[in-house]
Amino acid sequence: EPEVTQTPSHQVTQMGQEVILRCVPISNHLYFYWYRQILGQKVEFLVSFYNNEISEKSEIFDDQFSVERPDGSNFTLKIRSTKLEDSAMYFCASQKGEGANVLTFGAGSRLTVL
Amino acid sequence: QQPVQSPQAVILREGEDAVINCSSSKALYSVHWYRQKHGEAPVFLMILLKGGEQKGHEKISASFNEKKQQSSLYLTASQLSYSGTYFCGTDHTSGNTPLVFGKGTRLSVIA
């Protein structure tokens, strides 16, 4: 069964460092998302991406965050200068098309900021 | 508009039934149910669409009451493997608005 692949599975970084989280969505999917889950809490929407541009973003997705799809397969989330409160599990998800389609999540990238 | 889930947590013995509720203050187009095991990604269970029928997945089924803007997930004859956190995700239009998830219901099934 097709799956969403995320790397790294776990990254530890120092506060203020830049981090890039990578995702390979399912190949025929058109909509891509990043969600974040702080330990023990709910899954929070960060940003959605369609047709090579951001379609929607939440309040969490401030100027420290950026996304891009550099090569037509990878979908990356960059955090420019990490803060302690960025420590969380980051999930990438993809969706086939419009309407109420199933979101398929990747296994997540755990980010720990020290 | 974050949906509200209840209860926050429930403990069941194997074979018992449970109901998890998800409600919204805004009209719903669809409700998605996911289960997340500790340290893993959320896994899709089922989707209910406005005007659609009740769905089922083995011993897990769900209903969607459009008038009350709520959905319920029914787990019957629970198994140990049902343990996890159940999230409902909602959207309010037929376009590709991102799902907004509730805070989750932690279900623990014990032998």
Side-chain angles (χ1 to χ4, degrees):
Chain A
E1 191 171 324
E3 56 181 31
V4 176
T5 307
Q6 288 187 242
T7 54
S9 55
H10 189 192
Q11 180 155 359
V12 180
T13 191
Q14 295 290 327
M15 194 167 57
Q17 295 296 303
E18 177 182 282
V19 158
I20 297 176
L21 305 178
R22 292 184 168 81
C23 169
V24 179
I26 294 173
S27 61
N28 62 346
H29 283 193
L30 300 177
Y31 295 84
F32 313 115
Y33 302 84
W34 284 101
Y35 282 83
R36 177 180 86 174
Q37 186 178 35
I38 294 169
L39 186 64
Q41 298 187 25
K42 69 180 171 117
V43 178
E44 299 176 291
F45 167 71
L46 290 179
V47 64
S48 57
F49 194 86
Y50 169 69
N51 204 24
N52 285 321
E53 60 182 27
I54 290 173
S55 47
E56 200 161 334
K57 58 184 180 180
S58 71
E59 293 171 352
I60 303 168
F61 194 87
D62 62 21
D63 293 344
Q64 294 295 331
F65 292 89
S66 62
V67 289
E68 61 176 9
R69 196 153 187 252
D71 57 13
S73 60
N74 288 288
F75 177 49
T76 61
L77 174 70
K78 184 193 288 187
I79 309 174
R80 270 184 259 288
S81 177
T82 49
K83 301 181 280 241
L84 295 176
E85 54 265 37
D86 293 329
S87 295
M89 183 72 98
Y90 288 81
F91 291 106
C92 173
S94 69
Q95 191 175 39
K96 193 170 185 179
E98 273 206 16
N101 273 202
V102 173
L103 269 186
T104 303
F105 284 88
S109 291
R110 181 173 298 284
L111 176 65
T112 303
V113 182
L114 303 176
Chain B
Q1 292 278 352
Q2 181 186 321
V4 177
Q5 285 187 237
S6 62
Q8 287 186 324
V10 59
I11 299 174
L12 296 176
R13 293 203 176 274
E14 260 186 302
E16 290 181 337
D17 303 339
V19 180
I20 300 172
N21 299 303
C22 173
S23 63
S24 173
S25 58
K26 203 173 161 184
L28 295 171
Y29 176 74
S30 70
V31 179
H32 302 225
W33 285 97
Y34 286 78
R35 177 171 61 208
Q36 184 181 33
K37 298 217 178 242
H38 183 69
E40 299 179 11
V43 173
F44 172 75
L45 291 175
M46 64 189 76
I47 183 173
L48 297 106
L49 300 175
K50 183 178 174 180
E53 56 201 42
Q54 181 163 338
K55 291 274 185 92
H57 174 72
E58 297 178 346
K59 291 179 182 173
I60 301 174
S61 62
S63 62
F64 182 14
N65 186 323
E66 294 167 42
K67 280 189 180 176
K68 291 185 179 178
Q69 294 164 188
Q70 64 183 217
S71 175
S72 295
L73 186 72
Y74 306 95
L75 301 112
T76 56
S78 57
Q79 304 166 16
L80 293 174
S81 60
Y82 286 5
S83 293
T85 301
Y86 289 77
F87 291 98
C88 69
T90 56
D91 66 16
H92 304 281
T93 72
S94 57
N96 265 75
T97 50
L99 285 184
V100 178
F101 289 93
K103 290 186 176 181
T105 296
R106 186 185 296 278
L107 177 74
S108 302
V109 182
I110 57 176

